[in-house]
């Protein structure tokens, strides 16, 4: 093995946030503008001797509605006032400003951190008191969400990243922070989908793929990658380790929206699989404000469907009995506005309940080691047999 | 964006396990040899009118010992008989043979699957009865482990993969199934560490790195990658999303063993962090037989240490109180044979208990956004201040 020559540098210790000059992107400048406006509003209220207050769009279920024409979840117009001179609101008012100031510091220094990192960045004991700014992360997370809706900025624009899990391979070349990533040459490991995939981080360079196959689990993804499914079917293959993290959802949205690639999903046949599909398709109820940048209303549910048990001639031993929670969840999901009036979905969920059992994608292995990659998925794609 | 030209192929449906001719690696041939010998032993016992039985190395704690000279966990010589003509053992005897036959099928077809996949592959109702071969995966997993020790084959050699989580960037070029992966050009996402990283899958092509920095969490890894720590310090940067999966541990072992790279670990200062370090260093007690191929006895614990609270001048608000389980776990870990006689570790664990609180790596952000990458780790590396 050859020794690769690399200049060895000694790091310069630095007390400041950054030792290098930061070049702000247009997105960063816009975010800093919003953050500065927020701060200015406090000053201007003070100058007018008015009480400083924020009008925060309400994030409760009552303020979430399903936009039928755009087929995504969105927030209504309700807002909640948060005032500095109100004993019940003063703490959360100050926490909101503290979070804004933390995010400004991140954006200005060209760095990102996790929501846990921001929590620690803001956490301190207020001088001269025993009062802490935040007692735990459960207190800071909703404040970050408030800030997102207040500024109409995605978390990623505030330089906050989520977990990084999920991988990609397939017929696409990306630019990731200056590095060219050819996803058709990523071996068995694949490219780790970053948490922040905004346009200034990830650019699509070349794409010859016809569609995206998104599978639920990394173990299923490994089967598809090993069989070079993406090569045979000229597609992109992704997974999100269960419920996909924000980076994966945003990337699917961009692949669908910018490159017009259809997104096909392969999940377990259980209420959790339906739910993950629903989140990818319409957005999450808790974070409805993100849907326009995250949801993929066109995503198709390729399987597994409740009828597959008979269609694929599976052995009774692969059945996993539904429990009470499963039945309850399935009935809730059947009432989601985007499933409620769809006969296909009503039939699917009714069949699951009638079956009385769940099915995992892995169960298809009983029909052949590569049945799922060589028959199940190709047949459904060819026959255009999916739920929408 | 340019459209990448790719020939579109239509997949050939195939009922057999593989439509392509399989080229077995030397490792595969060895594994098939062991599996065939196992089957032959049944035949030869029958021919000699002897009862077929297996002598399975005992995987209980009583048969695990710490090898002081090699500094790894290893199994003792105790075995347990498993007989076909014994009412208590017949089922597990047949399950063991079924697992062996499933693995042979995998190896011969050049495919791999998860332990859940193998479970489904083996699971069926025995003809003419209501008896199932396996009632759930909790029954098949220990059988797989039995097979590993019986054949002295790692799970990966039996073509079984584990979860894929963990990423890598840095100054190394690999070959992964024919694709060249330059880990210094992997952007913000990084290379997803595969579950199987044996020599016939992953070859090291060029490595200029001086060491490996392994961090516990993906969110901390993102901070180090964003600051291009691996470039400034000429190293490789890995994480394992908490307790590293087998692929990550095996890769660390290979980087240390074949490329002689020191492995430095950065974990939270809590019993869980100590435990993860212990697994990387000495192996896991449950799977002691893997240690010689997985453990890195030379791995160093760079931090966080209990004294860092004072050394780094952290704010009291970052403390997370130890609970009873933490205290119990810490005392257990202090008695591990590889920590028991080390003054540094005894002092470390005593200090944690005296502090009465845990510390997360993320807490260092209160000293500066990049304090951990620009001061904390570089200082410890320079001063060679670590626990061993």
């Amino acid at each position: 093995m050859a020794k690769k020559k690399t200049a060895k540098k000694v790091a310069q210790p630095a007390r400041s946030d950054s030792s290098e000059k930061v070049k702000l992107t247009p997105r960063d400048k816009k975010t800093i503008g919003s953050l500065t406006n927020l701060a200015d509003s406090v000053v201007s209220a003070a100058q007018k001797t008015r009480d400083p207050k924020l009008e925060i769009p309400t994030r409760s279920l009552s303020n979430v509605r399903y936009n039928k024409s755009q087929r995504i979840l969105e927030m209504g117009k309700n807002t909640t006032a948060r005032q500095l001179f109100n004993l019940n609101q003063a703490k959360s008012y100050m926490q909101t400003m503290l979070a804004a100031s933390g995010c400004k510091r991140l954006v200005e220094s060209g760095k990102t951190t996790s929501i846990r990192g921001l929590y620690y960045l803001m956490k301190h004991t207020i001088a001269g008191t025993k009062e802490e700014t935040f007692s735990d992360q459960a207190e800071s997370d909703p404040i970050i969400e408030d800030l997102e809706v207040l500024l109409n900025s995605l978390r990623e624009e505030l330089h906050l990243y989520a977990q990084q899990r999920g991988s990609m391979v397939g017929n696409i070349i990306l630019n990731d922070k200056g590095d060219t990533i050819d996803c058709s040459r990523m071996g068995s490991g694949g490219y780790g989908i970053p948490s922040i995939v905004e346009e200034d981080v990830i650019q699509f360079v070349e794409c010859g793929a016809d569609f995206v196959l998104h599978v639920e689990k990394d173990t299923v993804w490994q089967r598809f990658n090993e069989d070079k499914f993406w090569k045979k079917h000229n597609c992109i293959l992704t997974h999100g380790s269960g419920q996909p993290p924000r980076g994966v959802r945003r990337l699917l949205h961009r692949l669908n929206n910018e490159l017009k690639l259809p997104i096909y999903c392969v999940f377990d046949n259980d209420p959790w699989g339906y739910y993950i599909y629903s989140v990818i398709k319409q957005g999450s109820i808790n974070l409805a404000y993100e849907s326009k940048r995250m949801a993929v209303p066109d995503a198709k549910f390729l399987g597994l469907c409740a009828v597959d048990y008979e269609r694929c001639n599976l052995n009774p031993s692969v059945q996993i009995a539904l429990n009470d929670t499963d039945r309850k969840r399935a009935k809730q999901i059947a009432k989601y506005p985007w499933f409620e009036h769809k006969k296909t979905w009503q039939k699917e969920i009714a069949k699951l309940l009638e079956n009385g059992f769940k099915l995992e994608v892995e169960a298809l292995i009983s029909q052949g080691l590569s049945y799922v990659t060589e028959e199940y998925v190709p047949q459904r794609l060819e026959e255009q047999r999916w739920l929408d």
Side-chain angles (χ1 to χ4, degrees), chain A:
Chain A
M1 199 191 62
K3 178 87 180 167
K4 191 178 170 187
K5 288 218 167 94
T6 318
K8 197 174 169 185
K9 288 183 201 160
V10 177
Q12 302 290 331
R15 267 283 164 193
S16 71
D17 282 342
S18 174
S19 44
E20 286 161 39
K21 209 173 175 184
V22 176
K23 208 185 145 198
L24 296 180
T25 67
R27 174 169 71 102
D28 287 339
K29 285 178 190 160
K30 188 171 159 277
T31 309
I32 288 191
S34 308
L35 287 161
T36 311
N37 284 344
L38 180 65
D40 286 346
S41 74
V42 186
V43 179
S44 90
Q47 283 171 341
K48 291 176 190 162
T49 63
R50 284 190 194 142
D51 289 356
K53 72 168 179 181
L54 305 169
E55 284 292 343
I56 298 178
T58 313
R59 288 187 294 103
S60 71
L61 188 59
S62 63
N63 195 32
V64 169
R65 69 178 204 107
Y66 177 58
N67 180 323
K68 275 187 193 167
S69 66
Q70 290 196 41
R71 294 177 300 147
I72 57 169
L73 283 170
E74 57 180 28
M75 289 184 78
K77 294 196 189 314
N78 301 350
T79 60
T80 314
R82 183 169 294 169
Q83 295 184 296
L84 175 58
F85 297 122
N86 175 323
L87 265 184
N88 290 325
Q89 296 165 10
K91 185 169 183 181
S92 61
Y93 179 93
M94 288 189 292
Q95 286 173 330
T96 313
M97 289 299 172
L98 198 56
S101 133
C103 290
K104 184 160 177 279
R105 187 170 156 198
L106 285 168
V107 180
E108 283 177 341
S109 59
K111 298 188 188 239
T112 58
T113 191
S114 60
I115 50 175
R116 183 130 196 101
L118 183 64
Y119 159 69
Y120 275 118
L121 188 65
M122 303 186 291
K123 188 176 170 74
H124 61 265
T125 312
I126 295 169
T129 72
K130 286 189 173 177
E131 191 74 32
E132 290 199 354
T133 51
F134 291 93
S135 58
D136 58 31
Q137 200 188 333
E139 217 179 343
S140 68
D141 284 353
I143 293 286
I144 294 169
E145 292 171 3
D146 287 343
L147 201 59
E148 288 182 78
V149 292
L150 184 64
L151 302 175
N152 194 22
S153 297
L154 279 184
R155 193 172 305 181
E156 290 73 17
E157 295 175 312
L158 298 169
H159 279 217
L160 295 172
Y161 53 70
Q163 264 208 312
Q164 190 209 15
R165 51 192 160 87
S167 303
M168 175 156 79
V169 281
N171 196 3
I172 187 167
I173 299 175
L174 313 167
N175 186 308
D176 176 349
K177 288 199 167 174
D179 290 336
T180 301
I181 313 279
D182 184 344
C183 292
S184 71
R185 297 178 176 277
M186 293 301 296
S188 57
Y191 166 64
I193 301 173
S195 172
I196 299 188
V197 297
E198 300 304 310
E199 293 85 344
D200 50 351
V201 179
I202 305 286
Q203 296 100 35
F204 302 135
V205 178
E206 254 184 66
C207 176
D210 295 324
F211 63 93
V212 178
L213 187 76
H214 178 78
V215 301
E216 182 175 341
K217 292 175 252 185
D218 69 293
T219 44
V220 174
W221 182 91
Q222 291 182 59
R223 167 85 270 127
F224 277 88
N225 189 28
E226 188 173 291
D227 286 346
K228 291 277 178 274
F229 178 90
W230 54 268
K231 211 169 193 173
K232 289 180 193 151
H233 294 275
N234 193 28
C235 70
I236 294 169
L237 181 64
T238 59
H239 77 82
S241 291
Q243 187 173 355
R246 297 170 59 101
V248 175
R249 287 177 53 206
R250 176 81 176 129
L251 188 67
L252 291 177
H253 175 96
R254 287 193 59 202
L255 290 169
N256 176 251
N257 205 54
E258 296 169 34
L259 304 187
K260 310 300 173 200
L261 298 182
I263 313 285
Y264 300 107
C265 302
V266 175
F267 298 149
D268 287 343
N269 187 245
D270 60 19
W272 180 238
Y274 299 158
Y275 177 72
I276 295 178
Y277 172 68
S278 169
V279 168
I280 288 181
K281 192 177 177 68
Q282 251 76 46
S284 122
I285 294 170
N286 291 331
L287 303 169
Y289 56 93
E290 307 167 333
S291 295
K292 61 179 181 298
R293 310 266 307 263
M294 300 275 247
V296 186
D298 277 333
K300 318 285 186 211
F301 184 89
L302 214 61
L304 268 58
C305 296
V307 290
D308 287 333
Y309 176 71
E310 284 135 33
R311 280 219 180 117
C312 303
N313 198 22
L314 298 177
N315 190 290
S317 67
V318 303
Q319 299 175 3
I320 301 172
L322 291 175
N323 59 33
D324 288 345
T325 317
D326 292 327
R327 273 183 287 270
K328 201 178 139 199
R329 285 292 289 140
K331 286 171 194 165
Q332 279 172 351
I333 290 170
K335 286 187 186 142
Y336 282 176
W338 45 97
F339 288 148
E340 204 179 3
H341 303 294
K342 285 213 179 127
K343 278 185 192 160
T344 49
W345 270 104
Q346 293 303 315
K347 216 173 135 185
E348 165 62 31
I349 297 173
K351 178 68 178 164
L352 175 90
L353 292 168
E354 186 200 312
N355 278 353
F357 56 78
K358 320 184 237 189
L359 290 173
E360 288 188 299
V361 176
E362 287 94 329
L364 296 178
I365 202 175
S366 58
Q367 298 300 91
L369 294 178
S370 292
Y371 176 80
V372 66
T373 68
E374 293 177 357
E375 296 192 52
Y376 183 87
V377 169
Q379 278 172 12
R380 269 141 195 85
L381 286 172
E382 200 172 326
E383 295 164 17
Q384 308 203 356
R385 199 200 306 154
W386 50 65
L387 298 179
D388 193 4

